Amino acid sequence: MRIIKAKNYDELSKIGANIIASQVTLVPDSVLGLATGSSVRKLYDELVLKYEGGELDFSQIMSINLDEYVGLDGTHSQSYRYYMNEALFDRVNIDKENTHLPDGKAKDVEVECENYESIIDFVDSIDLQLLGLGGNGHIGFNEPADSFPMATHSVDLTEETIEANSRFFDNIDDVPKKAITMGIKGIMQAKTVLLCVSGSHKAEALKKVLTGPVTPEVPGSILQLHKNLIVVADEEALSQL
Ligand code: GLP
């Protein structure tokens, strides 16, 4: 495990973007596992700046996102497809055909989970998986549970997650109660995992993830077992370590 301490969110975003940029430059046909959320939002802006400066070429990149809300389609401003289009896909030369997110409007959610898992199986392993961290230690939408869910699955979001994500919706009742998420297997099979964590509100979760017991009650704690984990966190997020 490598921990890189950033001064603040801005520096974290630059460091995270540099790591992804290295991957894209060294392996132009990389499979990137991508994440949503505020922790990684500015990182995407930094990547776009590099692209605009002629430093990066996304034309051969394939992406597989972690998760999507059940019930929202890609035109909904809070869907993760919308987020990705707005943050990255519409701003660089990635082929949209090569970008994958679960379909939140799939008729049969279980079939959609199986289909999504077969995309992950097809690539064998993601080259670099970007992750944020939930306040309850979740990664993707793998919520605290009795066991680690291995494959892509549908999940009932916890009250804590619904509350945390309600800041993006007009009303807490508008927050979807379910999501589809990549499981722990897809994340752990990635060759490199890049975990970005910002802010004092994540400090306790980050401490548990990095130094606590490996337990499905803190899903991110499984990352202690990953052979190539890079944590980029700011001073506030690292304040309890
Ligand atoms: C969300 C997403 C996660 C994200 C996490 C943290 O619910 N499903 O993929 O990493 O919660 O989000 P944020 O960075 O906005 O705090």
Side-chain angles (χ1 to χ4, degrees):
M1 177 193 315
R2 214 148 50 99
I3 302 179
I4 303 174
K5 186 177 192 170
K7 258 202 137 11
N8 50 35
Y9 178 62
D10 285 354
E11 194 178 274
L12 175 158
S13 306
K14 286 195 168 72
I15 296 169
N18 283 342
I19 293 169
I20 295 181
S22 306
Q23 176 70 40
V24 171
T25 303
L26 291 171
V27 187
D29 60 350
S30 290
V31 180
L32 299 180
L34 296 178
T36 51
S38 14
S39 314
V40 294
R41 183 59 189 81
K42 196 154 196 276
L43 180 157
Y44 290 125
D45 287 342
E46 295 291 340
L47 283 179
V48 171
L49 282 177
K50 288 177 189 294
Y51 168 74
E52 289 170 347
E55 281 177 58
L56 288 180
D57 174 16
F58 289 86
S59 61
Q60 296 178 68
I61 293 292
M62 173 176 173
S63 70
I64 304 182
N65 261 77
L66 283 167
D67 46 16
E68 180 60 281
Y69 289 116
V70 169
L72 303 191
D73 70 21
T75 61
H76 190 289
S77 65
Q78 294 311 324
S79 72
Y80 287 164
R81 166 57 79 179
Y82 189 96
Y83 171 111
M84 288 309 304
N85 285 345
E86 194 267 328
L88 185 70
F89 299 157
D90 285 341
R91 301 162 77 196
V92 299
N93 66 335
I94 197 164
D95 181 349
K96 282 257 189 91
E97 292 286 314
N98 293 333
T99 66
H100 301 277
L101 282 94
D103 178 1
K105 288 294 258 185
K107 278 204 181 68
D108 187 326
V109 170
E110 297 318 313
V111 170
E112 177 60 13
C113 291
E114 283 169 26
N115 291 344
Y116 206 66
E117 190 64 18
S118 57
I119 298 172
I120 299 165
D121 282 347
F122 173 75
V123 301
D124 212 21
S125 64
I126 288 165
D127 289 301
L128 187 151
Q129 177 64 57
L130 176 64
L131 292 178
L133 183 67
N136 61 4
H138 75 219
I139 47 177
F141 267 135
N142 290 280
E143 294 279 44
D146 295 337
S147 61
F148 287 110
M150 286 300 147
T152 301
H153 59 285
S154 63
V155 59
D156 293 322
L157 301 178
T158 63
E159 286 301 319
E160 191 177 345
T161 297
I162 291 169
E163 167 81 37
N165 291 2
S166 66
R167 68 191 192 278
F168 300 113
F169 292 80
D170 292 339
N171 190 311
I172 192 163
D173 295 331
D174 297 340
V175 185
K177 309 286 180 285
K178 272 183 179 293
I180 296 173
T181 184
M182 186 188 292
I184 296 298
K185 180 166 67 94
I187 295 171
M188 289 300 282
Q189 280 179 346
K191 290 180 191 136
T192 300
V193 172
L194 172 60
L195 175 67
C196 294
V197 193
S198 170
S200 53
H201 61 302
K202 298 284 176 72
E204 197 184 332
L206 185 59
K207 182 183 177 190
K208 284 186 191 160
V209 161
L210 298 184
T211 65
V214 174
T215 165
E217 282 159 33
V218 183
S221 63
I222 192 90
L223 298 173
Q224 290 177 33
L225 306 180
H226 195 278
K227 58 185 184 318
N228 191 18
L229 170 67
I230 306 171
V231 182
V232 186
D234 59 20
E235 285 175 1
E236 286 188 4
L238 285 167
S239 59
Q240 289 198 22
L241 282 155

